[in-house]
């Protein structure tokens, strides 16, 4: 696995690790809220407030109807009127309900004694989360109120909500995944770009290319590494110049030693003979000619005065000495070459 892929994978896992608790907490809140909703709807005691609301509206609102209440609160309502020992249906949102309550049921016995009743119960063949409450007037039971939620309604409402929450959490999860991948790719590309640039320059340097330079401007460790790399390349350039200079010096010195040794051994047969003899002879001859030219110039400039003639005589003597010394040098040089030739 290349370094870019490793960086992207590492950043992705890091961002996912950070975002995962957020997803879990969001899912927990959604599920917990749904659980509370289901628990509230499944609790018969939660319907007491609605039953009390119905009784208040029956007393003070002449336009009250069970259907109007259901439209507002999404609860089934049945209003019973007591007739003797029977509770007769007066108004109801439940169709096909029996005209009166079954006297053998628990809720009938409870409201007949002036007590509220709440439970999961069957009413007209349907299962309900039910709440019964008697209606009293002057300490007399004049009727009763039923408020309930059919369990089929819970399935109809809760299941779609649950599915919606699940889908929402899945969408959130995939969105977070995509965001994590984008962040990981951006960060991984930024980091790996500098690293790959550094690797490329190192590769060129290892192949002998000293004209490399890193232009990383970041102020982190990679930027410091770039500065150190550039200094190292400059050091190598200077070192190679010194090595080449030393190599050329050694090469020239070696050639001179070889030429001298070959000339001493082989004499005139040496391939280096002319290279050594001719420069020495030419230098000696040039020295003699220069001395003659100086002597002639001094004679011409000093001929007008007697004092100058004396100086001329002195200079001439010295020039003759130089000439003789030059001739001696030439003779010695020739003798040296002959000696090498004889040896």
């Amino acid at each position: 696995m290349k370094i870019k892929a490793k960086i992207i994978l590492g950043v992705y896992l890091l961002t996912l690790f950070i975002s995962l608790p957020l997803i879990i907490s969001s899912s927990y809140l959604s599920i917990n809220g749904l659980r509370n909703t289901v628990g509230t709807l499944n609790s018969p005691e939660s319907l007491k407030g609605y039953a009390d609301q119905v009784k208040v509206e029956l007393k003070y609102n002449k336009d009250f109807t069970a259907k109007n209440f259901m439209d507002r609160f999404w609860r089934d309502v049945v209003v019973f009127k007591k007739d003797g020992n029977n509770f007769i249906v007066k108004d109801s949102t439940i169709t096909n309900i029996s005209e009166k309550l079954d006297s053998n049921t628990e809720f009938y016995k409870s409201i007949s004694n002036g007590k509220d009743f709440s439970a999961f119960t069957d009413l007209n063949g349907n299962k309900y989360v039910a709440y019964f409450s008697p209606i009293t007037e002057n300490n007399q039971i004049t009727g009763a109120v039923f408020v309930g939620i059919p369990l089929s309604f819970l399935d109809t409402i809760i299941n779609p909500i649950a599915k919606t929450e699940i889908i929402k959490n899945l969408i959130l999860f995939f969105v977070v995944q995509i965001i994590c991948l984008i962040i990981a790719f951006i960060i991984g590309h930024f980091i790996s770009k500098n690293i790959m640039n550094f690797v490329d320059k190192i590769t060129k340097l290892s192949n002998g290319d000293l004209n490399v330079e890193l232009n990383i401007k970041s102020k982190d460790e990679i930027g410091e590494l770039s500065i150190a790399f550039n200094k190292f390349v400059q050091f190598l350039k200077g070192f190679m110049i010194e090595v080449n200079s030393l190599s050329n010096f050694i090469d020239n010195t070696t050639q001179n030693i070889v030429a001298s040794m070959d000339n001493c051994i082989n004499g005139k047969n040496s391939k280096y003979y002319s290279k050594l003899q001719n420069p020495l002879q030419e230098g000696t001859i040039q020295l003699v000619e220069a001395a003659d030219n100086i002597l002639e110039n001094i004679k011409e400039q000093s001929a007008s005065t007697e004092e100058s003639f004396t100086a001329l005589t002195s200079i001439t003597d010295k020039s003759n000495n130089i000439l003789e010394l030059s001739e001696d040098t030439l003779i010695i040089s020739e003798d040296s070459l002959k000696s090498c030739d004889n040896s």
Side-chain angles (χ1 to χ4, degrees), residues 82-129:
K82 188 176 184 183
D83 183 12
N85 292 327
N86 296 319
F87 287 91
I88 308 301
V89 175
K90 180 181 179 182
D91 191 8
S92 175
T93 59
I94 302 174
T95 58
N96 300 323
I97 190 174
S98 301
E99 293 183 358
K100 62 180 181 179
L101 289 179
D102 186 354
S103 59
N104 295 321
T105 58
E106 292 293 330
F107 49 82
Y108 175 88
K109 296 176 182 179
S110 181
I111 60 177
S112 296
N113 293 324
K115 297 179 180 180
D116 292 349
F117 178 86
S118 59
F120 293 92
T121 186
D122 290 334
L123 187 65
N124 198 33
N126 294 321
K127 291 184 177 181
Y128 278 86
V129 181

Side-chain angles (χ1 to χ4, degrees), residues 7-38:
I7 294 175
I8 292 176
L9 179 60
V11 175
Y12 168 73
L13 293 177
L14 179 61
T15 52
L16 181 62
F17 177 78
I18 295 174
S19 61
L20 195 58
L22 299 177
I23 299 175
I24 294 174
S25 62
S26 176
S27 301
Y28 172 78
L29 292 175
S30 299
I31 294 173
N32 191 52
L34 183 61
R35 184 184 294 114
N36 291 336
T37 301
V38 173

Side-chain angles (χ1 to χ4, degrees), residues 49-187:
Y50 294 100
D52 293 338
Q53 179 71 22
V54 171
K55 290 192 290 184
V56 170
E57 293 194 21
L58 283 172
K59 185 176 182 179
Y60 297 103
N61 184 5
K62 295 180 180 180
D63 297 327
F64 173 82
T65 62
K67 184 178 183 305
N68 179 270
F69 189 88
M70 181 181 182
D71 291 340
R72 286 182 289 152
F73 298 104
W74 289 64
R75 303 292 187 272
D76 278 322
V77 176
V78 180
V79 179
F80 298 94
K81 181 180 179 182
K82 188 176 184 183
D83 183 12
N85 292 327
N86 296 319
F87 287 91
I88 308 301
V89 175
K90 180 181 179 182
D91 191 8
S92 175
T93 59
I94 302 174
T95 58
N96 300 323
I97 190 174
S98 301
E99 293 183 358
K100 62 180 181 179
L101 289 179
D102 186 354
S103 59
N104 295 321
T105 58
E106 292 293 330
F107 49 82
Y108 175 88
K109 296 176 182 179
S110 181
I111 60 177
S112 296
N113 293 324
K115 297 179 180 180
D116 292 349
F117 178 86
S118 59
F120 293 92
T121 186
D122 290 334
L123 187 65
N124 198 33
N126 294 321
K127 291 184 177 181
Y128 278 86
V129 181
Y131 193 91
F132 290 87
S133 182
I135 301 173
T136 59
E137 187 175 348
N138 297 324
N139 295 325
Q140 296 293 323
I141 299 174
T142 59
V145 173
F146 163 83
V147 178
I149 303 174
L151 295 181
S152 59
F153 172 79
L154 295 178
D155 294 337
T156 303
I157 297 299
I158 298 303
N159 288 340
I161 294 175
K163 291 179 181 178
T164 301
E165 290 297 325
I166 292 173
I167 293 173
K168 183 176 70 174
N169 290 325
L170 287 176
I171 292 174
L172 177 62
F173 176 76
F174 285 115
V175 169
V176 170
Q177 295 293 303
I178 293 173
I179 294 174
C180 290
L181 284 175
I182 293 175
I183 294 174
F185 180 81
I186 293 174
I187 296 177

Side-chain angles (χ1 to χ4, degrees), residues 181-242:
L181 284 175
I182 293 175
I183 294 174
F185 180 81
I186 293 174
I187 296 177
H189 177 73
F190 176 77
I191 296 176
S192 63
K193 180 181 178 181
N194 291 333
I195 295 177
M196 295 306 296
N197 186 20
F198 183 74
V199 172
D200 179 63
K201 300 299 183 182
I202 286 290
T203 302
K204 290 182 179 180
L205 182 63
S206 65
N207 292 329
D209 185 3
L210 296 179
N211 296 317
V212 293
E213 183 179 3
L214 281 174
N215 295 317
I216 300 176
K217 305 300 182 182
S218 60
K219 296 182 179 180
D220 53 9
E221 287 78 4
I222 295 179
E224 294 177 359
L225 185 63
S226 172
I227 295 173
F229 174 81
N230 292 334
K231 290 181 178 179
F232 177 69
V233 171
Q234 294 301 321
F235 169 76
L236 285 181
K237 286 182 178 180
F239 181 75
M240 291 305 297
I241 291 174
E242 292 181 1

